Amino acid sequence: MKVALFIPCYVDQLYPHVGMATVRVLEKLGVEIVYPEEQTCCGQPMANAGFADDAAPLARKFLEVFGRFEHVVCPSGSCTSMVRNHYDPYLAGAPGFEALKQGTFELCEFITDVLKVARIPGRYPLKVGLHQSCHGLRELRLGSASELLVPRYSKVASLLSSLEGIELVPLARPDECCGFGGTFAVAEEAVSCMMGRDRIADHVKAGAEVVTGTDVSCLMHMDGLARRAGERVRFRHVAEILAEAMA
Amino acid sequence: MIGHAERAARFAADDARAHWHDQALWWVRAKRDKAASAVPDWERLRGLASAIKAHTQSRLADYLEEFERNATAAGARVHWARDAEEHNAIVHRILADRGATRLVKSKSMLTEECHLNPYLEARGIEVVDTDLGERIVQLAHEPPSHIVLPAIHRKKEEIGELFHHKLGTAAGLSDPKVLTEAARGHLRERFMRAQAGLTGVNFAVAETGHVVVCTNEGNADMGTSLPPIHIACMGVEKLVPRLADLAVFLRLLARSATGQPTTTYTTHFLGPLRGGELHIVVVDNGRSRLLADETFRRALHCIRCGACMNTCPVFRRSGGYSYAYTIPGPIGSVLAPSVDPRAHASLPFASSLCGSCDDVCPVRIPLHDQLLARRRDAARAGLLSSGKRLGMRLAGMVLRSGFLYLLASRLGKLLGRALPRRILYGRWNVWGRQRELPPLPRESFRDLYRQHRSERRG
């Protein structure tokens, strides 16, 4: 299978190794990758800050770049959700848009839902806290949100727990927001940082050595707080864990 | 202008208090989860409630007329108020015409929205809030900080102090049971002397013409059975078509609000007491404008359970007053801009858009999408700072152009590595006040990927 890789702008610039881990995981799973170099950003920062008119050209550019691929895969739940759930006001009715929406996947859901891979061969003998990033959880439904009275599932947790030796630690608040929230992290700095510290404390108390998630943005926020506070816990994107385990 | 962020920062600056507030509300959220999980088909029930609301609103005028007909036939008097001013004037006229100067009030967010208390007090009427939490904030000359738990921002020691000064209880009391007893004694006196009682309305049923009031303290029942006059104030959105529909909402309300299977008292008022009067004041106050707005219409579904506040990680850490609006939290941030978009422009940004409010809402209001839509409206109306606007314009320009994107990336990395920490973490860097910046790698993904490609080919 051939997929186009969508590497969000901040991953391209700040966390290139997360992008490379995504490449290695997909290649190990037998997927052929195309990386269109014209891509930049999906426009979510502008859209979420209210500047829809500045997001619109980026949405159109995204369709131009990725519209010709059957599958687009992205190591970010939030950016994937931007395409799937928030592009309608910009692109409704545009040729190829519906197919693009249906064909754009977050990495873990692509592995479980499209590749139909349930077990990842590999070993990761550490205690891991799973941070369920909100947009992946509640907009993409990568797992069941704790508010909903539905059967419990988590696509990310089940992929991770298929690794040998891994221990997913139980959290007191399994899916509370870390407080990143895009521009919220700066516009509401005080509350954002308090939320982040509380999330870290929950993971640390549960004994996590590594905290993982589907979005580097949330991890970047928590990692920044943890490093400032001298916490020992490390932050790794789920692609990094999978890649390392499969290596 | 001071907005939510500044007020929230002030609340969060007292770390211990903010965490205590967070824990108290999280405890309510956990109780809600437990109560909701005891109902089979909870999610279907939410869907049903949402559908009933949508249906009712699609023919609201008809149902309101049906309600008025049936309520009048049962002996109630129905009054119509276009806005807060008319509402307050109607309530005042009812009291003034009958020479009533002592009013006991049960909880009602609508009268808070209309600022009824100061209106009546300015006209010589003694108004006593009888819900314990409401009474506490009234004695402290504060508005409620939460719609279901009005005094949740106050610790029991502070309430003991307040009661010591206002009610003459012993100094240093903090036992909630003892304080509640003191309030009860004080309120009983007020109930006995009251000439009229006012309540809010949780639901009104068109088919029967009756109104329903849900409380946990029985104070609404005291206030409506002792004095001969009962004034019930309701927003137009409180209506449900049939008695059968009521059952859906009564199963959702208390469970969502406090995690109780049902409120301790659920009182149905059909017509007045023998020899008494029942006045029902039906208020619009901007609701029909909201109803006409396709994007925000579903915010009118709200049954004021407060679940979105309890689950909101921002509300829990910033307190109800940080919203500076009668209804705080996610639903308040959606409603407030329809009243005054400029004054409340910061509220839609008081959210990390985590979406927890959507999933907890018993009537399925798409709250975080509506917050996003409010942000868009605020930007289009030019209500956001010019700095933000310029920044986003610039970022958009850079990200649209492949060349500028690469240029900015090189420049950023060069600067990031060259600047001394003192400048990199200067006052301008809001991110860096409490957080380290992310690492600045030498190469971007596209660089690494090119190498990877050529290695594989090679």
Side-chain angles (χ1 to χ4, degrees):
Chain A
M1 186 180 298
K2 191 162 146 183
V3 306
L5 200 55
F6 161 33
I7 297 295
C9 49
Y10 70 101
V11 174
D12 177 33
Q13 292 301 317
L14 301 171
Y15 294 92
H17 52 282
V18 170
M20 287 312 297
T22 308
V23 170
R24 284 199 295 275
V25 170
L26 289 172
E27 285 179 346
K28 280 260 182 196
L29 294 172
V31 175
E32 190 191 330
I33 291 171
V34 185
Y35 174 70
E37 281 208 21
E38 324 84 274
Q39 64 179 289
T40 52
C41 167
C42 63
Q44 185 178 198
M46 292 82 196
N48 274 11
F51 298 100
D53 301 337
D54 298 298
L58 289 169
R60 288 194 293 269
K61 181 183 167 105
F62 192 94
L63 177 60
E64 245 172 64
V65 174
F66 287 103
R68 60 201 157 93
F69 297 100
E70 194 186 346
H71 291 109
V72 180
V73 178
C74 171
S76 157
S78 194
C79 302
T80 302
S81 178
M82 177 70 190
V83 175
R84 197 182 298 168
N85 298 312
H86 300 285
Y87 265 8
D88 283 278
Y90 314 117
L91 295 174
F97 172 53
E98 280 308 315
L100 176 72
K101 255 197 333 193
Q102 280 159 29
T104 303
F105 294 90
E106 182 278 330
L107 174 66
C108 291
E109 71 173 351
F110 178 76
I111 295 173
T112 57
D113 297 2
V114 182
L115 297 182
K116 309 276 184 202
V117 169
R119 293 190 63 84
I120 300 286
R123 195 173 145 71
Y124 198 78
L126 289 171
K127 289 185 173 183
V128 174
L130 172 58
H131 176 69
Q132 312 221 50
S133 294
C134 303
H135 286 175
L137 186 71
R138 299 197 186 86
E139 290 193 347
L140 296 182
R141 300 292 177 201
L142 298 181
S144 51
S146 60
E147 300 87 22
L148 292 179
L149 278 302
V150 295
R152 295 283 163 232
Y153 71 96
S154 165
K155 295 177 185 179
V156 188
S158 53
L159 273 188
L160 284 171
S161 41
S162 77
L163 295 174
E164 218 180 293
I166 198 169
E167 185 188 332
L168 289 181
V169 299
L171 300 170
R173 299 183 186 183
D175 54 19
E176 174 137 300
C177 177
C178 70
F180 172 67
T183 52
F184 179 83
V186 171
E188 290 257 4
E189 186 233 354
V191 175
S192 164
C193 290
M194 183 179 267
M195 286 164 71
R197 273 194 292 271
D198 291 351
R199 280 326 289 143
I200 296 167
D202 198 354
H203 285 282
V204 168
K205 204 172 155 207
E209 298 163 283
V210 173
V211 174
T212 191
T214 50
D215 282 83
V216 200
S217 48
C218 309
L219 300 175
M220 168 176 80
H221 166 65
M222 286 189 283
D223 181 47
L225 286 162
R227 278 193 288 137
R228 179 66 63 88
E231 292 276 2
R232 295 228 319 263
V233 63
R234 291 175 300 145
F235 295 82
R236 294 283 180 275
H237 188 272
V238 64
E240 293 177 274
I241 291 186
L242 295 181
E244 196 180 311
M246 290 163 94
Chain B
M1 194 168 62
I2 283 202
H4 179 272
E6 292 79 8
R7 293 187 292 261
R10 244 180 266 153
F11 186 85
D14 186 344
D15 195 74
R17 173 178 288 269
H19 275 113
W20 166 79
H21 191 262
D22 165 62
Q23 293 286 353
L25 291 175
W26 183 259
W27 180 75
V28 184
R29 156 73 210 271
K31 270 183 76 188
R32 171 266 170 206
D33 291 353
K34 211 167 155 229
S37 69
V39 178
D41 259 353
W42 176 263
E43 298 304 330
R44 214 176 63 95
L45 205 59
R46 291 172 69 220
L48 195 56
S50 180
I52 294 170
K53 283 285 181 185
H55 164 82
T56 314
Q57 286 161 11
S58 74
R59 53 189 74 174
L60 189 60
D62 296 341
Y63 283 126
L64 282 170
E65 279 178 23
E66 185 186 346
F67 173 74
E68 182 184 34
R69 256 195 326 275
N70 291 326
T72 309
R77 274 210 48 199
V78 178
H79 309 258
W80 300 94
R82 245 174 312 215
D83 54 24
E85 184 64 27
E86 276 192 14
H87 162 265
N88 293 348
I90 289 168
V91 173
H92 179 243
R93 202 176 55 242
I94 296 169
L95 296 171
D97 285 354
R98 288 153 187 82
T101 55
R102 294 188 302 271
L103 176 71
V104 283
K105 252 182 81 208
S106 146
K107 209 165 150 3
S108 146
M109 288 316 293
L110 174 67
T111 58
E112 287 292 333
E113 173 189 323
C114 296
H115 304 290
L116 176 70
N117 287 19
Y119 181 95
L120 292 179
E121 280 159 358
R123 286 157 184 78
I125 291 175
E126 179 198 82
V127 183
V128 176
D129 277 310
T130 59
D131 171 272
L132 180 57
E134 289 280 342
R135 186 63 185 143
I136 291 167
V137 293
Q138 191 184 29
L139 287 173
H141 302 291
E142 287 173 347
S145 76
H146 184 292
I147 63 170
V148 174
L149 312 157
I152 188 70
H153 59 292
R154 288 194 160 251
K155 297 188 172 185
K156 54 185 195 281
E157 292 77 15
E158 294 164 352
I159 293 164
E161 175 83 8
L162 180 74
F163 279 14
H164 172 58
H165 289 296
K166 302 281 180 173
L167 306 183
T169 51
L173 278 185
S174 66
D175 180 351
K177 197 167 176 306
V178 178
L179 293 172
T180 305
E181 281 306 323
R184 185 184 291 233
H186 154 81
L187 283 170
R188 183 139 309 181
E189 233 173 77
R190 301 302 191 279
F191 280 125
M192 298 303 287
R193 354 190 278 129
Q195 295 157 313
L198 185 144
T199 67
V201 169
N202 289 94
F203 305 100
V205 184
E207 175 185 56
T208 57
H210 86 279
V211 297
V212 182
V213 179
C214 305
T215 71
N216 277 324
E217 299 170 19
N219 58 311
D221 306 79
M222 294 276 274
T224 51
S225 46
L226 290 171
I229 305 164
H230 175 190
I231 306 171
C233 301
M234 59 176 271
V236 289
E237 83 283 12
K238 295 291 178 187
L239 210 60
V240 298
R242 304 163 305 166
L243 202 53
D245 304 319
L246 192 61
V248 173
F249 293 97
L250 288 179
R251 298 184 80 195
L252 290 166
L253 179 67
R255 287 184 172 93
S256 299
T258 54
Q260 294 166 277
T262 183
T263 37
T264 314
Y265 301 88
T266 302
T267 311
H268 299 246
F269 296 98
L270 176 66
L273 290 176
R274 198 166 301 149
E277 302 174 36
L278 171 62
H279 297 269
I280 302 170
V281 189
V282 186
V283 185
D284 184 313
N285 205 31
R287 285 161 176 75
S288 49
R289 198 173 60 232
L290 199 60
L291 186 59
D293 191 327
E294 217 177 297
T295 311
F296 299 108
R297 176 175 301 161
R298 283 172 72 185
L300 262 196
H301 286 16
C302 179
I303 57 172
R304 302 289 190 261
C305 68
C308 62
M309 293 158 208
N310 304 339
T311 205
C312 178
V314 178
F315 180 95
R316 279 189 262 114
R317 291 171 182 83
S318 61
Y321 294 144
S322 63
Y323 296 82
Y325 183 65
T326 312
I327 312 281
I331 181 67
S333 300
V334 169
L335 294 174
S338 84
V339 177
D340 185 343
R342 187 172 295 275
H344 303 297
S346 73
L347 294 190
F349 296 88
S351 164
S352 59
L353 301 180
C354 77
S356 179
C357 46
D358 302 44
D359 281 352
V360 87
C361 177
V363 287
R364 285 201 171 147
I365 303 170
L367 284 158
H368 91 284
D369 278 340
Q370 295 199 342
L371 288 170
L372 201 52
R374 285 288 188 211
R375 292 182 184 190
R376 191 198 55 215
D377 288 359
R380 290 211 169 125
L383 299 175
L384 306 185
S385 83
S386 51
K388 225 179 198 182
R389 156 124 233 106
L390 196 72
M392 284 300 170
R393 267 279 143 84
L394 205 67
M397 227 164 68
V398 169
L399 291 168
R400 268 200 302 282
S401 146
F403 173 70
L404 286 178
Y405 176 74
L406 291 179
L407 186 71
S409 124
R410 298 264 185 271
L411 271 175
K413 281 182 184 156
L414 222 63
L415 275 174
R417 266 197 295 275
L419 290 175
R421 187 174 172 92
R422 168 170 60 78
I423 297 180
L424 201 56
Y425 284 87
R427 285 176 63 83
W428 63 274
N429 182 353
V430 181
W431 176 277
R433 276 182 205 152
Q434 304 187 53
R435 290 165 287 216
E436 289 299 299
L437 290 165
L440 283 175
R442 242 161 239 290
E443 290 159 304
S444 63
F445 171 78
R446 61 195 67 216
D447 301 330
L448 294 182
Y449 186 73
R450 268 187 212 153
Q451 291 164 22
H452 171 79
R453 277 277 96 148
S454 59
E455 277 162 27
R456 274 176 68 106
R457 276 198 209 99

